[in-house]
Amino acid sequence: MSRPVDPRPLIGEPLPLDLMNTRWMGDDGPYDLLAMPGGLGIWLRSAGLAGVAPDTPETLDALLVTRAALHELAETGAEHAREQLNATLRHGRFRRRLGEDGPETVIETDTPGWRPAWEAAEHYLRLLETNPSRLRRCANPECVLRFYDVSKAGARRWCSMATCGNRSKYRAHHARAQSR
Protein backbone atom coordinates (compact mmCIF):
# COMPACT_ATOMS: atom_id res chain seq x y z
CA MET A 1 0.00 0.00 0.00
CA SER A 2 1.48 3.34 -1.02
CA ARG A 3 1.65 6.31 1.30
CA PRO A 4 -0.25 9.48 0.44
CA VAL A 5 1.83 12.07 -1.40
CA ASP A 6 2.42 15.48 0.14
CA PRO A 7 0.03 17.72 -1.86
CA ARG A 8 1.64 21.03 -0.95
CA PRO A 9 3.04 23.21 -3.75
CA LEU A 10 6.25 23.98 -1.80
CA ILE A 11 8.07 21.47 0.36
CA GLY A 12 11.59 21.10 1.67
CA GLU A 13 11.98 24.53 3.27
CA PRO A 14 13.55 24.80 6.73
CA LEU A 15 11.33 23.20 9.35
CA PRO A 16 9.54 26.31 10.70
CA LEU A 17 8.74 27.54 7.18
CA ASP A 18 7.71 24.05 6.12
CA LEU A 19 5.29 24.01 9.06
CA MET A 20 3.86 27.40 8.03
CA ASN A 21 3.55 26.10 4.47
CA THR A 22 1.08 23.44 5.61
CA ARG A 23 -1.48 26.15 4.76
CA TRP A 24 -1.60 27.39 1.18
CA MET A 25 -3.88 28.84 -1.47
CA GLY A 26 -4.86 26.69 -4.40
CA ASP A 27 -6.74 27.70 -7.53
CA ASP A 28 -9.99 26.73 -5.82
CA GLY A 29 -9.34 28.20 -2.35
CA PRO A 30 -7.37 27.66 0.84
CA TYR A 31 -5.92 24.32 1.95
CA ASP A 32 -4.61 23.12 5.29
CA LEU A 33 -2.61 19.90 5.26
CA LEU A 34 -2.91 19.51 9.04
CA ALA A 35 -6.73 19.64 8.78
CA MET A 36 -6.83 16.92 6.10
CA PRO A 37 -7.35 13.27 7.02
CA GLY A 38 -3.87 11.78 7.38
CA GLY A 39 -2.29 15.20 6.91
CA LEU A 40 -0.30 15.14 10.15
CA GLY A 41 1.31 11.83 9.16
CA ILE A 42 2.10 13.19 5.70
CA TRP A 43 3.77 16.25 7.23
CA LEU A 44 5.71 14.25 9.83
CA ARG A 45 7.09 11.99 7.07
CA SER A 46 7.87 14.93 4.79
CA ALA A 47 9.66 16.75 7.62
CA GLY A 48 11.68 13.66 8.56
CA LEU A 49 9.96 13.36 11.94
CA ALA A 50 7.80 10.26 11.43
CA GLY A 51 9.92 8.05 13.67
CA VAL A 52 10.49 10.80 16.23
CA ALA A 53 6.94 11.89 17.09
CA PRO A 54 3.61 10.10 17.18
CA ASP A 55 0.66 10.97 14.94
CA THR A 56 -1.51 11.97 17.91
CA PRO A 57 -3.87 14.80 18.91
CA GLU A 58 -1.16 16.13 21.26
CA THR A 59 1.32 16.41 18.39
CA LEU A 60 -1.27 18.08 16.17
CA ASP A 61 -2.33 20.56 18.87
CA ALA A 62 1.28 21.51 19.62
CA LEU A 63 1.98 22.03 15.91
CA LEU A 64 -1.15 24.12 15.37
CA VAL A 65 -0.29 26.46 18.25
CA THR A 66 3.31 26.76 17.08
CA ARG A 67 2.31 27.30 13.44
CA ALA A 68 -0.04 30.11 14.47
CA ALA A 69 2.72 31.75 16.53
CA LEU A 70 5.25 31.47 13.70
CA HIS A 71 2.79 32.91 11.20
CA GLU A 72 1.89 35.82 13.48
CA LEU A 73 5.56 36.52 14.20
CA ALA A 74 6.33 36.58 10.48
CA GLU A 75 3.38 38.85 9.71
CA THR A 76 3.32 41.29 12.62
CA GLY A 77 5.89 40.33 15.26
CA ALA A 78 3.14 40.58 17.87
CA GLU A 79 4.10 40.20 21.53
CA HIS A 80 1.56 37.42 22.17
CA ALA A 81 3.05 35.40 19.30
CA ARG A 82 6.52 35.73 20.79
CA GLU A 83 5.13 34.60 24.16
CA GLN A 84 3.48 31.60 22.50
CA LEU A 85 6.67 30.60 20.71
CA ASN A 86 8.53 30.88 24.02
CA ALA A 87 5.85 28.68 25.62
CA THR A 88 6.53 26.05 22.93
CA LEU A 89 10.27 26.34 23.59
CA ARG A 90 9.71 25.63 27.30
CA HIS A 91 8.55 22.11 26.32
CA GLY A 92 12.04 21.04 25.25
CA ARG A 93 15.76 21.49 25.63
CA PHE A 94 19.14 20.30 24.41
CA ARG A 95 21.09 18.04 26.72
CA ARG A 96 24.79 17.36 26.24
CA ARG A 97 26.32 14.01 27.08
CA LEU A 98 29.30 11.87 26.32
CA GLY A 99 28.37 9.03 24.01
CA GLU A 100 30.38 6.06 22.76
CA ASP A 101 31.80 8.11 19.87
CA GLY A 102 32.30 11.34 21.79
CA PRO A 103 30.19 14.37 22.71
CA GLU A 104 26.51 14.27 21.74
CA THR A 105 23.65 16.71 21.87
CA VAL A 106 20.29 15.13 22.61
CA ILE A 107 16.88 16.77 22.26
CA GLU A 108 14.58 16.18 25.20
CA THR A 109 10.94 17.24 25.22
CA ASP A 110 8.24 16.94 27.87
CA THR A 111 6.51 14.32 25.73
CA PRO A 112 7.24 12.91 22.25
CA GLY A 113 4.21 14.83 20.95
CA TRP A 114 5.91 18.17 21.60
CA ARG A 115 9.10 17.34 19.71
CA PRO A 116 8.09 18.50 16.18
CA ALA A 117 6.69 21.80 17.47
CA TRP A 118 9.73 22.37 19.68
CA GLU A 119 12.13 21.61 16.82
CA ALA A 120 10.27 24.02 14.51
CA ALA A 121 10.41 26.78 17.15
CA GLU A 122 14.09 26.16 17.93
CA HIS A 123 15.01 26.09 14.23
CA TYR A 124 13.18 29.40 13.76
CA LEU A 125 15.51 30.95 16.35
CA ARG A 126 18.52 29.61 14.46
CA LEU A 127 17.23 31.13 11.20
CA LEU A 128 16.79 34.47 12.97
CA GLU A 129 20.36 34.24 14.30
CA THR A 130 21.81 33.27 10.94
CA ASN A 131 20.22 35.63 8.42
CA PRO A 132 16.70 36.88 9.17
CA SER A 133 16.59 38.95 5.98
CA ARG A 134 16.50 35.71 3.99
CA LEU A 135 13.16 34.69 5.54
CA ARG A 136 10.66 35.69 2.87
CA ARG A 137 7.03 35.52 1.85
CA CYS A 138 6.24 34.88 -1.80
CA ALA A 139 5.88 38.17 -3.73
CA ASN A 140 2.55 37.02 -5.15
CA PRO A 141 0.03 38.86 -2.93
CA GLU A 142 -2.40 35.93 -3.27
CA CYS A 143 0.20 33.41 -2.07
CA VAL A 144 0.82 32.74 1.62
CA LEU A 145 3.87 30.48 1.21
CA ARG A 146 7.20 31.27 2.84
CA PHE A 147 10.75 30.35 1.91
CA TYR A 148 14.33 30.83 3.01
CA ASP A 149 16.21 32.55 0.19
CA VAL A 150 19.43 30.64 -0.45
CA SER A 151 20.11 32.30 -3.82
CA LYS A 152 23.59 33.77 -4.15
CA ALA A 153 22.32 37.31 -4.70
CA GLY A 154 19.51 37.00 -2.15
CA ALA A 155 17.00 38.15 -4.76
CA ARG A 156 14.50 35.30 -4.84
CA ARG A 157 10.94 36.66 -4.94
CA TRP A 158 8.68 33.71 -5.61
CA CYS A 159 7.87 30.52 -3.76
CA SER A 160 8.25 28.88 -7.16
CA MET A 161 9.00 30.25 -10.61
CA ALA A 162 6.86 27.45 -12.04
CA THR A 163 3.74 28.72 -10.27
CA CYS A 164 3.74 32.22 -8.78
CA GLY A 165 6.66 33.53 -10.86
CA ASN A 166 5.06 32.44 -14.14
CA ARG A 167 1.67 33.79 -13.08
CA SER A 168 3.21 37.16 -12.36
CA LYS A 169 5.06 37.22 -15.68
CA TYR A 170 1.86 36.25 -17.50
CA ARG A 171 -0.14 39.02 -15.77
CA ALA A 172 2.54 41.60 -16.60
CA HIS A 173 2.67 40.45 -20.23
CA HIS A 174 -1.13 40.49 -20.48
CA ALA A 175 -1.28 44.02 -18.98
CA ARG A 176 1.34 45.27 -21.48
CA ALA A 177 -0.52 43.67 -24.38
CA GLN A 178 -3.82 45.22 -23.27
CA SER A 179 -2.29 48.71 -23.01
CA ARG A 180 -1.09 48.69 -26.64
Side-chain angles (χ1 to χ4, degrees):
M1 185 164 136
S2 66
R3 292 183 173 168
V5 175
D6 193 330
R8 297 176 297 153
L10 181 64
I11 58 175
E13 290 297 321
L15 191 60
L17 304 177
D18 196 63
L19 176 58
M20 286 194 279
N21 290 343
T22 56
R23 289 192 318 212
W24 72 96
M25 291 298 294
D27 291 334
D28 53 347
Y31 288 90
D32 184 343
L33 179 64
L34 298 180
M36 295 176 181
L40 175 57
I42 291 170
W43 185 79
L44 289 171
R45 280 191 301 281
S46 177
L49 296 167
V52 172
D55 184 342
T56 64
E58 179 190 33
T59 303
L60 179 61
D61 290 345
L63 285 169
L64 292 174
V65 166
T66 303
R67 178 179 72 178
L70 289 168
H71 179 75
E72 186 68 26
L73 283 168
E75 289 293 316
T76 67
E79 173 70 22
H80 69 275
R82 190 172 78 229
E83 290 170 6
Q84 184 54 59
L85 196 71
N86 284 331
T88 295
L89 289 164
R90 284 192 290 274
H91 286 278
R93 65 214 127 276
F94 288 116
R95 185 171 59 83
R96 300 279 292 156
R97 69 179 185 195
L98 183 60
E100 288 183 22
D101 297 323
E104 299 175 341
T105 301
V106 179
I107 296 172
E108 293 179 344
T109 53
D110 295 346
T111 65
W114 272 99
R115 179 141 177 199
W118 184 86
E119 283 195 43
E122 197 282 327
H123 196 153
Y124 183 70
L125 297 183
R126 282 189 275 144
L127 291 173
L128 290 176
E129 289 172 335
T130 305
N131 197 342
S133 67
R134 294 288 180 122
L135 293 166
R136 307 258 171 83
R137 181 178 174 165
C138 181
N140 176 355
E142 297 165 7
C143 184
V144 298
L145 296 176
R146 302 207 170 255
F147 59 90
Y148 189 74
D149 184 359
V150 294
S151 68
K152 190 172 184 176
R156 181 176 166 192
R157 297 182 54 209
W158 314 107
C159 62
S160 165
M161 277 306 296
T163 55
C164 289
N166 280 342
R167 287 179 186 147
S168 176
K169 288 180 178 183
Y170 173 78
R171 281 192 297 270
H173 172 75
H174 186 69
R176 283 191 306 272
Q178 293 297 316
S179 67
R180 291 183 189 155

